[in-house]
Amino acid sequence: EDVKWLVSVSAAFIASIFACIFSQPGDMILTETYKGKNDRSVFGVIGDIYKTKGGLPGFFTGTGARIVHVGAIITSQLVIYDIVKQGLGLPATGSH
């Protein structure tokens, strides 16, 4: 029983890290879009991020903080989902 709980929490945490990493560039573009200069196109915003924040790594600025904040939220949501499923008598995610 303890192993199932550990697997559930670990899988949820790993999934949340991947979700944070893959959604960070889009969030960075969205954040920069709503900062100040509203006359820029999406491609203008992408170009500005690339030029001013050090190229491709600039799109991942703040990823560590995002993993801590959003990762904790996503992990807890996925764990709660598994708890509710098991409470309803359904198999835990990935236990088929």
Side-chain angles (χ1 to χ4, degrees):
E1 193 64 31
D2 288 341
V3 173
K4 284 183 183 178
W5 176 253
L6 181 64
V7 169
S8 177
V9 172
S10 298
F13 182 66
I14 292 168
S16 71
I17 289 173
F18 277 106
C20 288
I21 291 170
F22 287 114
S23 64
Q24 179 64 24
D27 191 53
M28 186 70 179
I29 292 167
L30 186 64
T31 300
E32 289 295 319
T33 299
Y34 289 110
K35 266 188 184 175
K37 305 177 201 170
N38 290 329
D39 59 339
R40 299 178 294 173
S41 69
V42 172
F43 295 109
V45 172
I46 292 170
D48 287 348
I49 293 169
Y50 191 84
K51 291 174 196 167
T52 62
K53 299 204 182 283
L56 199 56
F59 289 93
F60 295 93
T61 301
T63 302
R66 184 176 174 87
I67 287 172
V68 170
H69 179 250
V70 178
I73 294 168
I74 294 171
T75 299
S76 62
Q77 288 174 334
L78 292 173
V79 168
I80 291 168
Y81 173 75
D82 265 357
I83 291 169
V84 169
K85 277 184 72 175
Q86 290 175 23
L88 294 172
L90 301 168
T93 303
S95 65
H96 301 0

